[in-house]
Amino acid sequence: MKIPFLRFDAMHAPLKAAFQEALAEVLDSHAFVLGPQVASFENAWAGYCGARHAIGVGNGLDALHLALRALRIGPGDEVIVPANTYIATVLAVSYTGATPVLAEPSARTANLDPESFAAAITSRTRAVIPVHLYGQPCEMGAILDTARRLGIHVIEDNAQAQGATYLGRRTGSFGTVNATSFYPGKNIGALGDGGALTTDDDELARQLRIWRNYGSEVKYYNRVQGYNSRLDELQAAFLAIKLRHLDAWNAERRRLAGRYQSALAGTGDLILPAVAEGAEPVWHLYVIRTGRRDDLQRYLADRGIGTLIHYPVPPHLQEAYRDQGWREGQFPLTEKMAATSLSLPMYPGLRDDEQDAVVEAIQSFFR
Ligand SMILES: *Cc1c(COP(=O)(O)O)cnc(C)c1O
């Protein structure tokens, strides 16, 4: 049996005719950039997240970057970012000239620890970017309390948690402005690149539309030195189709996560994912931790089971950040997670017998 880490067919095959119809519609409309498909998907996405506005952009990294630019964050400012994240979160801060300040995760949830966030605040801190990693909502209550008290902007990185809730409210609706990615492998992904911002602030939404479109509100008149980062009409049309299925897909991920949680409990030295109080995750990834990670990954690969590591090298140890002054040992919890984490197959379309085979292989490894 071959069990890949990710497969799209169960999600995409039933939608193929709808995708083809959407392609024909865009083709015939002759509107390819910032037309009716983007406007319509932005409305649907804002409604889904429970935000007043959504702004479609080129990808998730641009969404984070544009959020920071529109908030006028730049050189001399500090932005607090979890040390345990995908590098995009850190890069977005670097692009603006502001300083990324890393904070350790909670050992339990792997997400930004509200206490290490509070400890990283200085007089220069302008924003914090909580990342709902693996689809697990951060402890937003404590993070928002601290941020509000000190006038710090919250920018959620909701790339991995589309549809998740914290205290009954969707992630992507808590911050001043929030970013998500429609990279194909996300819980709702485009058939290519895409991203979006969400905000309740009318003026900020207007600014974000200007920043994503060359700094222009009126064609050929430029208010700021903006960017070209727009969600494509075609991708917006595909995303509108997929959005109708997101809740069902997330429900299937929850079911699969429940099966892993009960089947793997007490196996070897495994640490299974923990859910923060008040959080309803969407299991973008199902990440286990073990001191024998590399051996387990090889053992599963030998049996045709695909796994990935999210992420093998944390941002502060990447070659790209050699000159930032971060050193090995500075974020020990993050480094430990990088050394012990393993992501198992988790997607709508993973069959129960396949998941049973993954569980059985892991149990036999530890026997
Ligand atoms: C995928 C991802 C991004 C970046 O999204 P792109 O669309 O690939 O630019 C940012 N942050 C996190 C946590 C992600 O998982």
Side-chain angles (χ1 to χ4, degrees):
M1 195 185 310
K2 199 142 183 64
I3 306 169
F5 177 72
L6 174 61
R7 250 186 337 225
F8 290 104
D9 47 346
M11 289 178 277
H12 287 176
L15 301 179
K16 194 168 173 186
F19 289 152
Q20 282 168 335
E21 237 171 81
L23 166 62
E25 194 181 317
V26 171
L27 192 62
D28 293 341
S29 77
H30 306 279
F32 303 112
V33 172
L34 296 187
Q37 302 285 348
V38 167
S40 159
F41 175 70
E42 285 176 340
N43 268 329
W45 183 245
Y48 183 83
C49 295
R52 268 174 74 79
H53 304 278
I55 299 96
V57 297
N59 56 67
L61 172 56
D62 283 358
L64 288 163
H65 178 216
L66 292 170
L68 293 160
R69 289 306 307 261
L71 291 172
R72 303 289 174 165
I73 289 169
D77 296 330
E78 292 178 355
V79 178
I80 297 172
V81 173
N84 185 39
T85 184
Y86 180 53
I87 196 164
T89 326
V90 189
L91 285 175
V93 178
S94 300
Y95 287 178
T96 68
T99 304
V101 173
L102 302 182
E104 282 270 68
S106 131
R108 215 174 78 80
T109 66
N111 270 333
L112 179 65
D113 181 350
E115 281 175 22
S116 57
F117 156 50
I121 294 169
T122 73
S123 59
R124 291 169 182 266
T125 306
R126 294 278 321 278
V128 58
I129 311 183
V131 181
H132 307 299
L133 205 65
Y134 314 148
Q136 300 279 350
C138 296
E139 294 168 67
M140 290 308 291
I143 292 170
L144 285 164
D145 280 351
T146 304
R148 284 204 189 107
R149 191 155 39 78
L150 300 173
I152 295 167
H153 287 297
V154 172
I155 303 168
E156 289 172 76
D157 181 338
N158 196 34
Q160 300 193 359
Q162 297 146 333
T165 61
Y166 177 81
L167 299 182
R169 199 168 132 185
R170 286 251 159 82
T171 56
S173 70
F174 290 97
T176 308
V177 51
N178 309 301
T180 199
S181 159
F182 301 119
Y183 181 79
K186 309 296 188 193
N187 287 34
I188 172 169
L191 308 182
D193 275 312
L197 291 141
T198 43
T199 181
D200 286 336
D201 184 322
D202 298 350
E203 178 53 26
L204 191 55
R206 181 169 152 246
Q207 293 299 327
L208 291 164
R209 292 181 195 285
I210 291 172
W211 277 101
R212 76 167 168 186
N213 192 28
Y214 282 106
S216 166
E217 196 166 34
V218 178
K219 205 172 170 76
Y220 305 131
Y221 291 82
N222 302 80
R223 306 169 70 93
V224 290
Q225 296 172 19
Y227 300 88
N228 175 3
S229 183
R230 305 170 294 213
L231 181 64
D232 285 351
E233 280 287 283
L234 200 49
Q235 297 304 340
F238 296 148
L239 286 164
I241 293 164
K242 291 185 75 172
L243 182 56
R244 298 197 269 276
H245 302 273
L246 180 57
D247 284 343
W249 290 336
N250 283 341
E252 176 61 4
R253 288 175 183 271
R254 286 191 182 117
R255 190 185 73 83
L256 291 166
R259 291 183 94 244
Y260 272 141
Q261 294 287 73
S262 50
L264 291 174
T267 304
D269 70 341
L270 287 188
I271 299 175
L272 302 184
V275 177
E277 202 175 327
E280 180 71 79
V282 288
W283 303 98
H284 172 61
L285 298 169
Y286 186 86
V287 180
I288 59 174
R289 284 182 261 161
T290 165
R292 298 173 64 193
R293 194 266 313 275
D294 292 344
D295 287 343
L296 175 60
Q297 184 174 41
R298 218 169 300 117
Y299 184 91
L300 294 175
D302 287 345
R303 281 150 189 81
I305 297 167
T307 58
L308 283 178
I309 297 166
H310 297 92
Y311 296 92
V313 181
H316 73 280
L317 299 180
Q318 293 283 358
E319 191 184 340
Y321 278 112
R322 211 174 26 200
D323 299 332
Q324 191 82 20
W326 289 318
R327 34 181 183 73
E328 199 166 342
Q330 195 173 353
F331 301 100
L333 267 172
T334 297
E335 290 169 29
K336 180 126 199 241
M337 283 172 189
T340 58
S341 294
L342 187 67
S343 305
L344 304 181
M346 162 58 72
Y347 44 90
L350 178 67
R351 297 192 317 264
D352 287 5
D353 63 312
E354 293 176 319
Q355 192 184 27
D356 293 343
V358 174
V359 167
E360 175 52 39
I362 293 170
Q363 284 167 344
S364 77
F365 171 80
F366 283 107
R367 248 191 309 266

